[in-house]
Amino acid sequence: EVTLSGDARMGVTNNIASGDTAFTSRARLKFTMSGETDGGLSFGASFRAHEAFNANRDALTSAGSVFISGAFGKLTMGNVAGAAEAAVGDLSGVGFTGLGDYSDTMFLTGDGAEPEPIVQYAYTAGDLAVYASATDGVTLKNYALGVSYTMSGYNFGLGYESTDAADGPGVDGTHLVASVGGTFGAVAAKAVYGKADIGAGTTTQYGLSATYTANALAVTGFYKVADAATKTTAMGLGAAYDLGGGASVKGGLVNVDVDGIEDTVYDLGVSFDF
Amino acid sequence: EVTLSGDARMGVTNNIASGDTAFTSRARLKFTMSGETDGGLSFGASFRAHEAFNANRDALTSAGSVFISGAFGKLTMGNVAGAAEAAVGDLSGVGFTGLGDYSDTMFLTGDGAEPEPIVQYAYTAGDLAVYASATDGVTLKNYALGVSYTMSGYNFGLGYESTDAADGPGVDGTHLVASVGGTFGAVAAKAVYGKADIGAGTTTQYGLSATYTANALAVTGFYKVADAATKTTAMGLGAAYDLGGGASVKGGLVNVDVDGIEDTVYDLGVSFDF
Amino acid sequence: EVTLSGDARMGVTNNIASGDTAFTSRARLKFTMSGETDGGLSFGASFRAHEAFNANRDALTSAGSVFISGAFGKLTMGNVAGAAEAAVGDLSGVGFTGLGDYSDTMFLTGDGAEPEPIVQYAYTAGDLAVYASATDGVTLKNYALGVSYTMSGYNFGLGYESTDAADGPGVDGTHLVASVGGTFGAVAAKAVYGKADIGAGTTTQYGLSATYTANALAVTGFYKVADAATKTTAMGLGAAYDLGGGASVKGGLVNVDVDGIEDTVYDLGVSFDF
């Protein structure tokens, strides 16, 4: 079976090279394919329309993904999140365009970091989920491990990942990253901390996000630091108002400081899910 | 909700570089997404499968479009017709491939003229429709206004548009364009006149098209002049026979004269809507 | 009407440049459009999502195809098999990725050999099917003829094809090719023989494939020689186990010998149809 879903957005942002306020719009469509074997295994694949060319390119590029799942867990191949990302995830972002996605956690593997298919294995047992992911080791020896746990309304994530440019001259690295999140009345909050050794340097990242929800309105703020050779500090504030039927009005404001050089960007628009 | 529609065609034409008679075929598919907010606003987006890559590129390119509409009118962003084109439109063309689309009216803005999203606003009240469109003014300060009116079986269109390459070295221009159309028994006819100042030059365009319909058969003729630094005169004659179910047999013949150098092109084929 | 179908696969292969064992996955989606005229003619078009750009390019490129059919037969334009291929076809291959498709029969025309649309005509009368195909003759004067016949459980195919680079400096050639196939209990077998004169040289190709089926298991072997300026001998052995619901486990092993230099490749994975 093939099912279709889509998303679109339109509005204004000043987050372009010139810093002027510009129109921004896009429309996307996703193909989701699913089936079940006679023995009860589920399988499927998905990719977006604009990824169709790369989703067809076998071992060469990563776009879209293919999975099979059963009592043994779920095995996914293609452009899939690494195990550390699957367990820890990102902070909540702001704006209808993401405004540079500074609230995203930096990971060394998965989600397109490798220009080839990787494998992710996931197993869930009640409140516990474990993840493992790896490249095939030909040009990159990347792997990651992750675990997430939910207890008394709190959720915890922990991930470790390693990248190794096989026999090539690329940069090697390892990364330990953790998150904790919870809901406190109308506020959902999450904190992330990670420390990575990449080549000869160290990157430390940490941050916090919180979303307050009141009926159709959700207000989100985040603070995120990525401290490497350069130090990037980003703060964001945004709001979303749910119009129902898949439509929202969203806006955001992000201040980014890179070693003391600041930039403030914003956006405002409507976002649709179909 | 996502719905699918498509079109395809196959046949022969001599409208290729060599002037020989060649096979020509194509197939296209369109994604149309739609929804409604709790408050009764309609929204949606659409693009064709071959536009998927550019439809996903936000402020960078224009392909596909996104809209929201309600009692206030309809606001569309993306690769959308400019207001002048929305009000005035094109003459009727001939052939199953369009044969160079010489019956199209030249416009300065909209419909892909800008390599970025533009906004079009449309409001309809009974027989009257008004349109306004604009770029965001960053690299191009383009805008257009249009009005169309239907009265006693006649319809009138009037548009004004302006293009200005902001602070860049591009060519600036303005364009006033009008159309009148009507149906006289089995004949539907339309005339277009436009005058544009582009850079240091003036372009005058005018033309007439008429379609005679008898049961499943429609015969169309057009005459169109575009008089600028070079003068292009095009005459076309074509016929379409409706086979039902979305299929038609179509053929056309177009003579194009560019400052006295003539070329005659034709096509014949079948055209399908799905 | 537009219908959607898809296929996907994931697994491992060593059939990459380095010869290492690598992950390989892909996902594809096909659009199939169909309709019927009031007079009972069927028509349609199809292309895959990753072919959308080229399927829209008229006379320039070949991707996807468009057809109309009725009592007169079926006429298809676009990227379609040539008449010789339609009548003779390929041997059965092995592996979930095809492993280089060495079991495929080499043809001079059709199936993408020409960078432009071609036409294929097919007419079926009981056990007999005849095929004719041609380019438009502008840059390439290609044509092919084919006939296939089924009798007492055996099927025979015969094809002739000719390629001629019109007035250009390309390589001309002709090809006579035949096949015979049949089912013997649980075994389906097929043999192909073809002889082509291409430029100043001669290519002889011949081969045999057989598939043994027992419940959900199918085991396939093939042997194929292509003897031209270099001699390529390929042998393959593979198995497929049908899991039901469109899913199969498939693996294959292929040995390729090119003038005495050997390479052995394999793959193993799951294959899905949606």
PDB file of all heavy atoms in Angstrom, chain C residues 14 20 99 193 195 206 220 227:
ATOM      1  N   ASN C  14      28.766  -7.083  -2.537  1.00  0.00           N
ATOM      2  CA  ASN C  14      30.160  -6.684  -2.753  1.00  0.00           C
ATOM      3  C   ASN C  14      30.379  -6.175  -4.174  1.00  0.00           C
ATOM      4  O   ASN C  14      31.514  -6.015  -4.612  1.00  0.00           O
ATOM      5  CB  ASN C  14      31.132  -7.834  -2.441  1.00  0.00           C
ATOM      6  CG  ASN C  14      31.109  -8.892  -3.528  1.00  0.00           C
ATOM      7  OD1 ASN C  14      30.104  -9.031  -4.209  1.00  0.00           O
ATOM      8  ND2 ASN C  14      32.201  -9.621  -3.674  1.00  0.00           N
ATOM      9  N   ASP C  20      34.537  -4.407  -1.611  1.00  0.00           N
ATOM     10  CA  ASP C  20      34.171  -4.673  -0.225  1.00  0.00           C
ATOM     11  C   ASP C  20      32.676  -4.974  -0.127  1.00  0.00           C
ATOM     12  O   ASP C  20      31.920  -4.722  -1.055  1.00  0.00           O
ATOM     13  CB  ASP C  20      34.491  -3.444   0.646  1.00  0.00           C
ATOM     14  CG  ASP C  20      35.981  -3.234   0.792  1.00  0.00           C
ATOM     15  OD1 ASP C  20      36.683  -4.190   1.164  1.00  0.00           O
ATOM     16  OD2 ASP C  20      36.441  -2.096   0.528  1.00  0.00           O
ATOM     17  N   LEU C  99      22.926  -7.629  -9.694  1.00  0.00           N
ATOM     18  CA  LEU C  99      24.377  -7.938  -9.760  1.00  0.00           C
ATOM     19  C   LEU C  99      24.981  -7.673 -11.134  1.00  0.00           C
ATOM     20  O   LEU C  99      25.742  -8.489 -11.673  1.00  0.00           O
ATOM     21  CB  LEU C  99      24.623  -9.391  -9.336  1.00  0.00           C
ATOM     22  CG  LEU C  99      24.460  -9.659  -7.838  1.00  0.00           C
ATOM     23  CD1 LEU C  99      24.486 -11.145  -7.562  1.00  0.00           C
ATOM     24  CD2 LEU C  99      25.554  -8.950  -7.045  1.00  0.00           C
ATOM     25  N   TYR C 193      19.837 -16.811 -28.279  1.00  0.00           N
ATOM     26  CA  TYR C 193      21.003 -16.738 -29.171  1.00  0.00           C
ATOM     27  C   TYR C 193      20.849 -15.500 -30.043  1.00  0.00           C
ATOM     28  O   TYR C 193      19.769 -15.252 -30.600  1.00  0.00           O
ATOM     29  CB  TYR C 193      21.111 -17.986 -30.054  1.00  0.00           C
ATOM     30  CG  TYR C 193      22.269 -17.904 -31.020  1.00  0.00           C
ATOM     31  CD1 TYR C 193      23.535 -18.348 -30.657  1.00  0.00           C
ATOM     32  CD2 TYR C 193      22.108 -17.336 -32.293  1.00  0.00           C
ATOM     33  CE1 TYR C 193      24.611 -18.249 -31.524  1.00  0.00           C
ATOM     34  CE2 TYR C 193      23.190 -17.226 -33.158  1.00  0.00           C
ATOM     35  CZ  TYR C 193      24.435 -17.682 -32.770  1.00  0.00           C
ATOM     36  OH  TYR C 193      25.511 -17.560 -33.632  1.00  0.00           O
ATOM     37  N   LYS C 195      23.107 -12.758 -32.937  1.00  0.00           N
ATOM     38  CA  LYS C 195      24.328 -12.418 -33.667  1.00  0.00           C
ATOM     39  C   LYS C 195      24.162 -11.014 -34.230  1.00  0.00           C
ATOM     40  O   LYS C 195      23.193 -10.732 -34.943  1.00  0.00           O
ATOM     41  CB  LYS C 195      24.580 -13.418 -34.787  1.00  0.00           C
ATOM     42  CG  LYS C 195      25.959 -13.281 -35.401  1.00  0.00           C
ATOM     43  CD  LYS C 195      26.287 -14.417 -36.328  1.00  0.00           C
ATOM     44  CE  LYS C 195      27.648 -14.191 -36.980  1.00  0.00           C
ATOM     45  NZ  LYS C 195      27.894 -15.146 -38.062  1.00  0.00           N
ATOM     46  N   TYR C 206      24.933 -15.708 -26.408  1.00  0.00           N
ATOM     47  CA  TYR C 206      24.072 -16.868 -26.190  1.00  0.00           C
ATOM     48  C   TYR C 206      24.069 -17.196 -24.709  1.00  0.00           C
ATOM     49  O   TYR C 206      25.008 -16.848 -23.981  1.00  0.00           O
ATOM     50  CB  TYR C 206      24.525 -18.074 -27.015  1.00  0.00           C
ATOM     51  CG  TYR C 206      25.985 -18.407 -26.894  1.00  0.00           C
ATOM     52  CD1 TYR C 206      26.449 -19.286 -25.909  1.00  0.00           C
ATOM     53  CD2 TYR C 206      26.923 -17.834 -27.746  1.00  0.00           C
ATOM     54  CE1 TYR C 206      27.795 -19.582 -25.785  1.00  0.00           C
ATOM     55  CE2 TYR C 206      28.278 -18.118 -27.630  1.00  0.00           C
ATOM     56  CZ  TYR C 206      28.702 -18.989 -26.645  1.00  0.00           C
ATOM     57  OH  TYR C 206      30.048 -19.261 -26.525  1.00  0.00           O
ATOM     58  N   THR C 220      17.430 -20.061  -9.135  1.00  0.00           N
ATOM     59  CA  THR C 220      17.684 -19.709 -10.526  1.00  0.00           C
ATOM     60  C   THR C 220      19.178 -19.798 -10.832  1.00  0.00           C
ATOM     61  O   THR C 220      20.006 -19.391 -10.007  1.00  0.00           O
ATOM     62  CB  THR C 220      17.213 -18.269 -10.806  1.00  0.00           C
ATOM     63  OG1 THR C 220      15.802 -18.199 -10.621  1.00  0.00           O
ATOM     64  CG2 THR C 220      17.558 -17.837 -12.230  1.00  0.00           C
ATOM     65  N   ASP C 227      30.332 -12.487 -26.915  1.00  0.00           N
ATOM     66  CA  ASP C 227      31.634 -12.641 -27.568  1.00  0.00           C
ATOM     67  C   ASP C 227      31.793 -11.570 -28.639  1.00  0.00           C
ATOM     68  O   ASP C 227      31.245 -11.683 -29.735  1.00  0.00           O
ATOM     69  CB  ASP C 227      31.710 -14.045 -28.175  1.00  0.00           C
ATOM     70  CG  ASP C 227      33.132 -14.404 -28.603  1.00  0.00           C
ATOM     71  OD1 ASP C 227      34.021 -13.540 -28.515  1.00  0.00           O
ATOM     72  OD2 ASP C 227      33.329 -15.554 -29.025  1.00  0.00           O
TER      73      ASP C 227
END
